[in-house]
Amino acid sequence: MTKIITDSSNYVNIASAIRAQTGTSESFKPSQMAEAISGIETGGGGGGNEDALLARTISVYENSTATAIGNFAFASCTSLTSVSLPAVTTIGPYAFQYCSALTTVSLPAATSIGSNAFQSCYALATVNLPAATSIRANAFAYCTSLTSVSLPQATSIEGYAFGSCSRLTTVSLPQATSIGVYAFLSCTSLASIDLPAATSIGNGAFYSCSAFTSISLPAAKSIDRKSTRLNSS
């Protein structure tokens, strides 16, 4: 089942966008809009015929059957506040980039989070991805309201994955073996981190984490000399 909630006032804007793109002067009922949009080349970064015009106005999206979210699927949906995707296993690159109002994400089955997937989701405060094993580059970069991250199954955290998450204070990565370059760059509120399984720590992984007081890396075999440089001075 799919549930999409949008403010009725947005229908006028959607209809206007359809007319502008297709050159038609027709009127559209809400039930006709998705079909009308489906043939429009949106150029929304994913390249392809997507319902991007409609997507920009969505505030809540729930889908219990979808198993994958494609590249740029909801990028720049600035009205989107909540997402529930219980069956999705893969989140594509840039899928929710610039969803600046997004506060709640439920992805209990997601194993792979693509690069830049949630970049600049400024209102997102917590991330709990119980099945995720791979967090790609820049996935949560610039999520400036993010305070807590729980990734109990994640083994790989790629470069700048949480870069500039300036309010991040709590990180749980018990299975992570690899922390990429600048993965937590400028996480200025992060005071400590315990990475019991990490064997490789990339260049600048904790650079400019100015609140840092302690780090635990009992399994580390490769630590770049700049990885734990805690400030830029």
PDB file of all heavy atoms in Angstrom, residues 9 22 28 40 54 72 123 168:
ATOM      1  N   SER A   9      -3.578  22.835  -1.610  1.00  0.00           N
ATOM      2  CA  SER A   9      -3.223  24.093  -2.268  1.00  0.00           C
ATOM      3  C   SER A   9      -2.130  23.899  -3.306  1.00  0.00           C
ATOM      4  O   SER A   9      -1.952  24.727  -4.200  1.00  0.00           O
ATOM      5  CB  SER A   9      -2.777  25.126  -1.228  1.00  0.00           C
ATOM      6  OG  SER A   9      -1.591  24.717  -0.589  1.00  0.00           O
ATOM      7  N   THR A  22       4.070  21.000 -20.964  1.00  0.00           N
ATOM      8  CA  THR A  22       3.468  20.325 -22.121  1.00  0.00           C
ATOM      9  C   THR A  22       2.876  21.274 -23.140  1.00  0.00           C
ATOM     10  O   THR A  22       2.557  20.866 -24.258  1.00  0.00           O
ATOM     11  CB  THR A  22       2.361  19.364 -21.657  1.00  0.00           C
ATOM     12  OG1 THR A  22       1.328  20.112 -20.982  1.00  0.00           O
ATOM     13  CG2 THR A  22       2.930  18.320 -20.689  1.00  0.00           C
ATOM     14  N   PHE A  28      -6.785  20.037 -15.010  1.00  0.00           N
ATOM     15  CA  PHE A  28      -6.498  18.687 -14.541  1.00  0.00           C
ATOM     16  C   PHE A  28      -7.125  18.454 -13.169  1.00  0.00           C
ATOM     17  O   PHE A  28      -6.995  19.292 -12.275  1.00  0.00           O
ATOM     18  CB  PHE A  28      -4.986  18.463 -14.440  1.00  0.00           C
ATOM     19  CG  PHE A  28      -4.283  18.480 -15.756  1.00  0.00           C
ATOM     20  CD1 PHE A  28      -3.756  19.659 -16.250  1.00  0.00           C
ATOM     21  CD2 PHE A  28      -4.162  17.320 -16.511  1.00  0.00           C
ATOM     22  CE1 PHE A  28      -3.109  19.692 -17.475  1.00  0.00           C
ATOM     23  CE2 PHE A  28      -3.524  17.337 -17.736  1.00  0.00           C
ATOM     24  CZ  PHE A  28      -2.986  18.523 -18.214  1.00  0.00           C
ATOM     25  N   ILE A  40       6.587  13.569 -18.694  1.00  0.00           N
ATOM     26  CA  ILE A  40       7.376  14.798 -18.752  1.00  0.00           C
ATOM     27  C   ILE A  40       8.824  14.520 -18.397  1.00  0.00           C
ATOM     28  O   ILE A  40       9.117  13.888 -17.383  1.00  0.00           O
ATOM     29  CB  ILE A  40       6.801  15.863 -17.786  1.00  0.00           C
ATOM     30  CG1 ILE A  40       5.394  16.268 -18.225  1.00  0.00           C
ATOM     31  CG2 ILE A  40       7.717  17.088 -17.725  1.00  0.00           C
ATOM     32  CD1 ILE A  40       4.713  17.206 -17.247  1.00  0.00           C
ATOM     33  N   LEU A  54       5.107  16.260  -9.004  1.00  0.00           N
ATOM     34  CA  LEU A  54       4.198  15.885  -7.921  1.00  0.00           C
ATOM     35  C   LEU A  54       4.963  15.676  -6.627  1.00  0.00           C
ATOM     36  O   LEU A  54       4.544  16.106  -5.557  1.00  0.00           O
ATOM     37  CB  LEU A  54       3.436  14.613  -8.293  1.00  0.00           C
ATOM     38  CG  LEU A  54       2.440  14.072  -7.262  1.00  0.00           C
ATOM     39  CD1 LEU A  54       1.361  15.095  -6.975  1.00  0.00           C
ATOM     40  CD2 LEU A  54       1.824  12.763  -7.742  1.00  0.00           C
ATOM     41  N   PHE A  72      17.850  10.201  -6.884  1.00  0.00           N
ATOM     42  CA  PHE A  72      17.147  11.488  -6.951  1.00  0.00           C
ATOM     43  C   PHE A  72      15.631  11.372  -6.758  1.00  0.00           C
ATOM     44  O   PHE A  72      14.901  12.321  -7.037  1.00  0.00           O
ATOM     45  CB  PHE A  72      17.413  12.194  -8.291  1.00  0.00           C
ATOM     46  CG  PHE A  72      18.838  12.596  -8.526  1.00  0.00           C
ATOM     47  CD1 PHE A  72      19.697  11.754  -9.214  1.00  0.00           C
ATOM     48  CD2 PHE A  72      19.324  13.811  -8.072  1.00  0.00           C
ATOM     49  CE1 PHE A  72      21.015  12.112  -9.437  1.00  0.00           C
ATOM     50  CE2 PHE A  72      20.646  14.181  -8.294  1.00  0.00           C
ATOM     51  CZ  PHE A  72      21.496  13.323  -8.968  1.00  0.00           C
ATOM     52  N   ALA A 123      16.743  19.166   8.892  1.00  0.00           N
ATOM     53  CA  ALA A 123      15.868  18.965  10.055  1.00  0.00           C
ATOM     54  C   ALA A 123      15.959  17.559  10.633  1.00  0.00           C
ATOM     55  O   ALA A 123      15.385  17.294  11.694  1.00  0.00           O
ATOM     56  CB  ALA A 123      14.419  19.269   9.676  1.00  0.00           C
ATOM     57  N   LEU A 168      25.915  16.485  16.124  1.00  0.00           N
ATOM     58  CA  LEU A 168      26.015  15.056  16.403  1.00  0.00           C
ATOM     59  C   LEU A 168      26.770  14.806  17.717  1.00  0.00           C
ATOM     60  O   LEU A 168      27.908  15.241  17.878  1.00  0.00           O
ATOM     61  CB  LEU A 168      26.728  14.358  15.247  1.00  0.00           C
ATOM     62  CG  LEU A 168      26.809  12.831  15.304  1.00  0.00           C
ATOM     63  CD1 LEU A 168      25.417  12.213  15.278  1.00  0.00           C
ATOM     64  CD2 LEU A 168      27.640  12.300  14.132  1.00  0.00           C
TER      65      LEU A 168
END
